[in-house]
Amino acid sequence: MRYYIIAGERSGDLHGGELIKYLMQMDPDAQIRGWGGDGMKAAGMKLVKHYRETAFMGVWEVLINLRKIRSFLKECKKDIRSFAPDAIVLIDYPGFNLRIAAFAKSLGVPVHYYISPKVWAWNTKRAKKIKRFVDKLYVIFPFEVDFFRKYEVGAIFVGNPLISLINDYSPSADAKILCQKNDQIIAVLPGSRYQEVKSMLDVMLQVVDQLPDFHFVVAAVSNLPVELYDAAMEHPSVTVLTDSAYDILSYSKAAIVTSGTATLETALFSVPQVVCYKTSAFTYSIAKKVIKVPFISLVNIVAEKEVVKELIQNDFTPSMITKELQSLVDDTSYRRNMLNEYSDLKKRLGKKNAPLEVAEQIVNSLT
């Protein structure tokens, strides 16, 4: 069978790579082509466009790149038509992927959507598009099933893909040596997009001198320019490791985390954290009006209460981060309570192997 798969950012590429491994196990003759990143390419997909070219964050950046986005859509549609897939698999990335879903529907190609757009947080109109254009929707949070039922969408809960990834993970030998040498580690996860790291990391690094008993390890990513991490590399109490977030979390006592998938990953590694986020004033003013959930971190959203502290916009300051970190490392009761909440969170997410479940659903639907 021929599969066309599209992911538009780093986390989508990670989960797409795992899905492709299972697809190829179940369908040894599979031909897989699409848009994504190094993980999907390494798993066996013919990579047409890398997500580093297509990832735009924030309302303003999307607006100023509309012409480029339209060009990408045109290119993708042309490539899909030429490849003539038996199924299209879309991974998150809703602004782009829902347009491709509508196109695929016009061609009569089955559309499988893995990792639903977060329409429960904002832009609920997209749920209607999902109903019209998506044949099978695979969700990774249990509450999403009830949400989509209100829109007559039969969402399938397949478990959370991070569960199997983290359960199967073993830290590298280099990370073990580093972290045993510096046994008081605070992880710094500034994000995986250029704009995130540029706006978050400098503020995060201002905390370092306030906690001299700790060594800070920054999780850099290889898809971004190394120059973004220059300030961290020059600090004597900071180490930068590239594409090693899981290694870092394996040995950390606490973490400073930019809101996103990393907040859930940090919780699944049982590392107490403070969640941070800051964007442009323009994007933030719009977000406040349209976002329909009371939290921004996935940990709090899934738990449906505040488990981790969120420092957003004007609250994202070195002094506020320092205060929270001190509570996380020194206040035994506060720390224990967060870890207990993490245990409840893991139970909510279950133990399913999400990429395996999705691969089975896709292959079975075509045979």
Side-chain angles (χ1 to χ4, degrees):
M1 294 290 179
R2 300 160 72 87
Y3 307 87
Y4 203 98
I5 306 179
I6 303 172
E9 56 189 3
R10 186 180 180 83
S11 62
D13 174 54
L14 174 68
H15 302 313
E18 291 298 305
L19 173 62
I20 288 166
K21 290 177 188 176
Y22 286 112
L23 281 174
M24 297 191 78
Q25 286 178 19
M26 295 176 191
D27 182 1
D29 297 324
Q31 297 179 52
I32 303 177
R33 183 179 177 89
W35 294 35
D38 299 332
M40 294 165 73
K41 181 179 179 181
M45 184 181 84
K46 173 66 177 177
L47 182 64
V48 179
K49 182 79 70 177
H50 200 287
Y51 66 79
R52 71 168 68 95
E53 298 180 52
T54 63
F56 300 106
M57 187 190 76
V59 178
W60 177 246
E61 194 190 0
V62 169
L63 288 174
I64 63 176
N65 284 285
L66 278 176
R67 182 176 293 180
K68 186 178 290 187
I69 293 168
R70 291 192 187 103
S71 174
F72 288 150
L73 280 165
K74 184 177 180 181
E75 180 183 352
C76 187
K77 290 176 181 179
K78 182 179 179 181
D79 196 56
I80 289 171
R81 195 184 290 275
S82 175
F83 184 61
D86 297 292
I88 289 181
V89 184
L90 308 173
I91 303 174
D92 202 358
Y93 197 44
F96 190 92
N97 273 343
L98 283 174
R99 287 173 171 82
I100 295 299
F103 172 72
K105 197 72 172 178
S106 72
L107 298 179
V109 180
V111 177
H112 298 258
Y113 212 126
Y114 176 36
I115 307 180
S116 162
K118 297 175 181 63
V119 295
W120 36 265
W122 73 291
N123 204 347
T124 54
K125 292 179 181 178
R126 284 176 169 167
K128 296 178 181 177
K129 291 184 178 180
I130 290 171
K131 178 177 169 57
R132 287 177 62 195
F133 304 129
V134 174
D135 295 284
K136 284 201 172 186
L137 176 67
Y138 311 107
V139 298
I140 62 172
F141 300 113
F143 66 83
E144 292 178 306
V145 173
D146 290 335
F147 172 85
F148 280 107
R149 189 177 293 122
K150 294 185 293 185
Y151 293 89
E152 299 180 337
V153 176
I156 303 166
F157 176 59
V158 293
N160 194 287
L162 295 176
I163 298 294
S164 55
L165 273 176
I166 292 172
N167 285 345
D168 296 339
Y169 187 76
S170 297
S172 69
D174 289 343
K176 186 174 183 179
I177 292 169
L178 168 71
C179 295
Q180 285 179 339
K181 181 181 177 182
N182 303 281
D183 61 352
Q184 293 283 80
I185 299 290
I186 291 179
V188 180
L189 279 63
S192 60
R193 296 169 176 171
Y194 183 90
Q195 293 82 5
E196 287 176 335
V197 178
K198 189 173 178 60
S199 63
M200 305 294 291
L201 184 56
D202 284 347
V203 177
M204 291 175 169
L205 291 176
Q206 291 177 48
V207 175
V208 175
D209 292 334
Q210 306 305 312
L211 294 164
D213 294 334
F214 289 87
H215 190 81
F216 289 71
V217 184
V218 175
V221 291
S222 58
N223 58 286
L224 297 180
V226 68
E227 294 80 15
L228 271 179
Y229 306 99
D230 279 351
M233 292 177 179
E234 293 167 2
H235 200 293
S237 296
V238 179
T239 298
V240 178
L241 294 180
T242 302
D243 295 339
S244 301
Y246 285 9
D247 281 348
I248 298 167
L249 289 171
S250 296
Y251 295 102
S252 293
K253 187 164 186 178
I256 315 170
V257 187
T258 294
S259 181
T261 303
T263 64
L264 193 55
E265 291 171 316
T266 302
L268 292 174
F269 273 98
S270 298
V271 178
Q273 65 183 298
V274 53
V275 175
C276 307
Y277 201 76
K278 187 168 187 177
T279 187
S280 69
F282 175 71
T283 296
Y284 183 65
S285 66
I286 293 175
K288 283 200 302 182
K289 295 175 182 177
V290 300
I291 291 178
K292 301 179 182 299
V293 290
F295 305 109
I296 65 165
S297 70
L298 286 171
V299 174
N300 291 344
I301 290 169
V302 175
E304 300 180 273
K305 61 181 175 181
E306 186 182 81
V307 172
V308 296
K309 179 73 73 177
E310 298 179 350
L311 301 180
I312 307 168
Q313 217 65 4
N314 294 334
D315 288 336
F316 175 55
T317 65
S319 61
M320 293 283 279
I321 299 170
T322 301
K323 180 181 177 182
E324 183 62 16
L325 279 177
Q326 287 173 329
S327 296
L328 292 174
V329 298
D330 294 332
D331 187 333
T332 304
S333 177
Y334 185 68
R335 180 182 176 86
R336 185 188 305 114
N337 183 64
M338 187 176 293
L339 293 175
N340 288 338
E341 293 289 356
Y342 283 175
S343 295
D344 291 340
L345 178 75
K346 293 172 187 178
K347 291 175 185 175
R348 285 186 178 225
L349 294 176
K351 296 181 179 180
K352 292 184 177 182
N353 186 330
L356 172 60
E357 296 261 343
V358 175
E360 287 177 342
Q361 291 273 349
I362 295 170
V363 172
N364 289 341
S365 73
L366 296 173
T367 55

